[in-house]
């Protein structure tokens, strides 16, 4: 068992192959946090245990006074508001008396093999019970009778611990959950740098890395989605840690709506991190006997650097988050018409796409936005999910038949959570969009947001989607989401439940996605939100790939893909070669190969030479698919540290194959460029395909590969393929 409870010391010890996590039951039944870091033996627990803290002006606790204990100083396992701890609160309820004082104490615990799912929400899962053990610790606020169960699942061989909390109102009066974070971690000292994957539309997930300072630093979204602007991910890394060395704590929330990550450094130089649903805009009314479940958070620790932290997330998500047929199966190589045609297409145009695509070796045609209602621009028809026959003269069936007859699969675009004011559905049900009585409705991209907290709205949308998908041979759906939520309230809910609508909305989205992948188990679902505005683990539970960004410029994609890779595996990142961007097709292909590869262009406009080049690219895509999709990523030179040149490497699990990519962002005179590789077997010998040269793994990882004479002009790039002899 990766989880043990020691009766003598009253401590819980959670062990993984890269970490130990310890907390215990202290006097007064406080849950005190003792340790999170590199593995330590059981024998050392006793010494860690005796460390309550106290200081003037920090309240002591009547129930633990004899021990000189203050909840404001001692590291706590799950902090609460108003009962002596002035640091960040992980949890607070507003009780029936109207105050928010909350004080959770240990009641009992249970340890079991395996891991349970979360009701109606995405969560990591086990393929086999032996993959994880679970600890549930029941705590209670005596005065209100509210019970909170802290749930920990330990994926021992993956170095990961997942956490969530279940809140039950075991009292006779209704309460409001004001704050419910999924995790709280107290660390000694503040010698850490915090990672923020920040950005905006077409510039998602760039890395900002800054030293912690005293006070609170935060990463949040209140947009009703995880957002382009910040990602529900952070890492705290020891100062000086780099890709190859150093202590790294990685945190990620399995959630696609408003989230909040706060880190506080207190006056005693201790660090507390809380992560969960953003309390701003959230207030959950909990009637007697009702339960509420928080989203799940993932924590990973390694002392082997940022690169290893990322690979641990990648392995975990590839094995225990992504589901269904496409988790391991080879995904079809697709062409999407969006950048090629926008909404200006018809039956003949798409058949011509398919013909060219087939000739070039592409396997699936994806028809993007503009096939339904009377949609010729972004001002109409969202919600009218029936075919625009004036564009598709043979109907959807006729189009798909011709595409299939050419030997291609077919994919289609939906934006199921949206509604255009100019649509039949809006005319019939103007109250079906999110809105607040007597206020203007904010509009974005000429669209409103469907109120997914309402069952009849969800039923309507899903029945239309199901009709299309049941009656046509569709292999793939791109699920888009092109604006954020405003005027968030629900016409059907009473005033005390209006603080639930953001969360109810995302639960509605999860419900429809779950129905979709259950009813159509062979469907490949690709998520999208104006590119990567909802690139989060919640979405990955339903869709094995997500469109990483609307920015397909290969140079600008570098920061986006490097940033995304901090937490998410290559197989989850949709990456396409497009026509309209600077840089050669060679570089576009080399960058897009780092992901779920495809094309996004009008093949009618390609020259003979370009078509010939793409045919060669398709061969490379097949050749390198396995090492990229199932191998391990090493970021060798990152754009966050080098403005001239970047390099990355995929290494197969058996270390017999490696693929190195180098991109010269800006021309630079490099009189001597030795690129040190990583992740190889130091005792194996590797042949460089291009030159036939053979080097030991030890040489390549220590001395490096001499790339001095390779192309180094603006935007040039190259691949190096190595195989073990
Ligand atoms: C935004 C997406 O990111 C694009 O790829 C495309 O699908 C458009 N929406 C269509 O409106």
């Amino acid at each position: 068992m990766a989880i043990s409870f020691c009766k003598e010391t009253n401590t819980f010890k959670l062990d993984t192959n890269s970490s130990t996590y310890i907390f215990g039951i202290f006097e007064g039944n406080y849950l005190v946090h003792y340790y999170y870091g590199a593995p330590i033996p059981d024998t050392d627990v006793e010494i860690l245990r005796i460390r309550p803290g106290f200081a003037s002006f920090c309240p002591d606790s009547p129930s633990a006074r004899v021990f000189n204990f203050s909840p404001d100083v001692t590291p706590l396992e799950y902090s609460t508001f108003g009962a002596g701890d002035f640091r960040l609160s992980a949890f607070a309820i507003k009780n029936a008396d109207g105050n928010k004082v909350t004080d959770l104490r240990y009641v009992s615990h249970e340890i079991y093999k395996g891991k349970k799912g979360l009701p109606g929400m995405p969560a990591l899962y086990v393929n086999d019970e032996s993959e994880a053990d679970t600890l549930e610790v029941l705590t209670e606020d005596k005065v209100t009778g509210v019970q909170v169960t802290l749930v920990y699942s330990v994926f021992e061989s993956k170095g990961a611990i997942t956490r969530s909390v279940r809140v039950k109102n075991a009292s006779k009066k209704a309460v409001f959950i004001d704050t419910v974070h999924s995790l709280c971690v107290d660390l000694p000292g503040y010698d850490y740098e915090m990672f923020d994957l920040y950005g905006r539309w077409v510039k998602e997930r760039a890395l900002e890395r800054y030293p912690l300072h005293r006070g609170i630093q935060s990463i949040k979204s209140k947009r009703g989605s995880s957002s382009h602007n910040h990602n529900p991910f952070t890492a705290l890394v020891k100062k000086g840690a780099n890709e190859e060395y150093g202590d790294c704590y990685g945190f990620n929330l399995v959630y696609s709506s408003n989230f909040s990550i706060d880190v506080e450094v207190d006056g005693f130089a201790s660090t507390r991190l809380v992560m969960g649903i953003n309390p701003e805009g959230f207030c959950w009314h909990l009637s007697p006997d009702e339960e509420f479940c928080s989203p799940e958070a993932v924590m990973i620790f390694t002392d082997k650097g940022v690169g290893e932290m990322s690979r641990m997330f990648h392995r975990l998500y590839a094995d225990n988050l992504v589901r269904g047929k496409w988790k391991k199966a080879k995904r079809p190589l697709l062409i999407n018409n969006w950048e090629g045609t926008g909404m200006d297409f018809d039956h003949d145009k798409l058949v011509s796409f398919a013909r060219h695509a087939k000739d070039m070796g592409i396997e699936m045609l994806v028809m993007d936005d503009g096939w339904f209602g009377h949609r010729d621009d972004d001002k109409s028809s969202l919600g009218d999910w029936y075919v625009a026959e004036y564009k598709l003269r043979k109907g959807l069936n006729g189009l798909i038949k011709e595409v299939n007859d050419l030997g291609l699969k077919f994919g289609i675009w939906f934006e199921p959570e949206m509604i255009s004011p100019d649509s039949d559905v809006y005319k019939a049900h103007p109250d079906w969009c999110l809105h607040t009585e007597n206020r203007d409705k904010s509009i974005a991209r000429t669209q409103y947001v469907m109120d997914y907290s309402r069952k009849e709205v969800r039923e309507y949308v899903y029945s239309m989607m199901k009709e299309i998908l049941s009656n046509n041979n569709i292999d793939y759906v791109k699920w888009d989401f092109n604006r954020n939520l405003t005027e968030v309230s629900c016409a059907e809910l009473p005033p005390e439940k209006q603080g639930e609508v953001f969360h109810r909305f995302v639960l509605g989205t999860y419900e429809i996605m779950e129905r979709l992948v259950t009813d159509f188990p062979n469907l490949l679902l690709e998520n999208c939100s104006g590119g990567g505005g909802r690139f989060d683990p919640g979405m990955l539970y339903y869709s094995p790939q997500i469109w990483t960004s609307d920015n397909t410029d290969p140079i600008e994609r570098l920061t986006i893909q490097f940033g995304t890779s901090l937490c998410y595996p290559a197989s989850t990142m949709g990456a396409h070669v497009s026509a309209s961007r600077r840089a050669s097709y060679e570089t576009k292909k080399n960058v897009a190969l780092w992901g779920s590869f495809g094309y996004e262009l009008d093949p009618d406009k390609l020259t003979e030479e370009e078509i010939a080049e793409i045919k060669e690219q398709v061969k490379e895509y097949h050749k390198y698919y396995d090492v990229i999709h199932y191998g391990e990523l090493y970021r060798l030179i990152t754009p966050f540290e080098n403005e001239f040149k970047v390099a990355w490497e995929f290494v197969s699990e058996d270390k017999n194959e490696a693929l190195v990519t180098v991109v010269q962002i800006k021309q630079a005179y490099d009189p001597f460029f030795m690129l040190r590789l990583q992740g190889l077997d130091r005792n194996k010998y590797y042949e460089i395909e291009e030159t036939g040269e053979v080097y030991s793994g030890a040489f390549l990882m220590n001395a490096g590969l001499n790339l001095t004479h390779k192309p180094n002009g603006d935007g040039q790039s190259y691949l190096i393929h190595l195989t073990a002899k």
Side-chain angles (χ1 to χ4, degrees), residues 419 423-433 454 456-457 460:
I419 180 167
S423 65
D424 295 345
V425 59
Y426 186 77
K427 278 166 203 142
H429 302 283
D431 64 321
W432 275 10
C433 68
R454 291 173 66 167
E456 75 270 39
V457 175
Y460 168 84

Side-chain angles (χ1 to χ4, degrees), residues 623-643:
K623 180 172 169 187
Y624 301 134
Y625 186 94
D626 284 1
V627 73
I628 293 167
H629 275 245
Y630 311 124
E632 307 245 278
L633 171 72
Y634 294 84
R635 291 176 294 255
L636 305 177
I637 307 173
T638 88
F640 309 116
E641 283 150 6
N642 190 320
E643 61 181 299

Side-chain angles (χ1 to χ4, degrees), residues 518-632:
T518 307
D519 291 347
F520 303 96
N522 293 324
L523 193 76
L524 173 57
L525 180 62
E526 175 154 355
N527 251 283
C528 172
S529 170
R534 237 176 10 183
F535 205 120
D536 59 61
M539 287 295 147
L540 287 177
Y541 185 66
Y542 306 97
S543 58
Q545 59 194 54
I546 299 178
W547 182 224
T548 314
S549 177
D550 276 345
N551 194 337
T552 51
D553 179 303
I555 300 302
E556 290 175 28
R557 266 280 177 137
L558 293 171
T559 53
I560 297 169
Q561 295 183 184
F562 268 88
T564 305
S565 78
L566 274 164
C567 190
Y568 307 105
S571 60
T572 64
M573 295 171 15
H576 297 171
V577 171
S578 72
S580 57
R581 312 294 165 155
R582 62 186 165 145
S584 61
Y585 272 99
E586 174 74 3
T587 293
K588 290 171 182 171
K589 174 264 301 176
N590 287 341
V591 174
L593 275 177
W594 178 357
S596 275
F597 186 77
Y599 289 88
E600 182 115 3
L601 44 75
D602 183 348
D604 285 340
K605 295 187 181 144
L606 292 171
T607 63
E608 285 303 317
E609 293 72 47
E610 286 167 343
I611 289 175
E613 193 176 349
I614 289 179
K615 286 182 179 171
E616 291 308 308
Q617 295 187 350
V618 169
K619 289 185 197 150
E620 287 185 81
Y621 155 80
H622 288 294
K623 180 172 169 187
Y624 301 134
Y625 186 94
D626 284 1
V627 73
I628 293 167
H629 275 245
Y630 311 124
E632 307 245 278

Side-chain angles (χ1 to χ4, degrees), residues 338 343 368-369 375 413 445 478 480 482 528-531 547 550 600:
W338 177 248
M343 297 183 208
D368 209 280
D369 192 357
R375 188 152 165 103
W413 180 98
R445 211 195 189 209
K478 179 174 172 185
D480 210 340
N482 282 304
C528 172
S529 170
W547 182 224
D550 276 345
E600 182 115 3

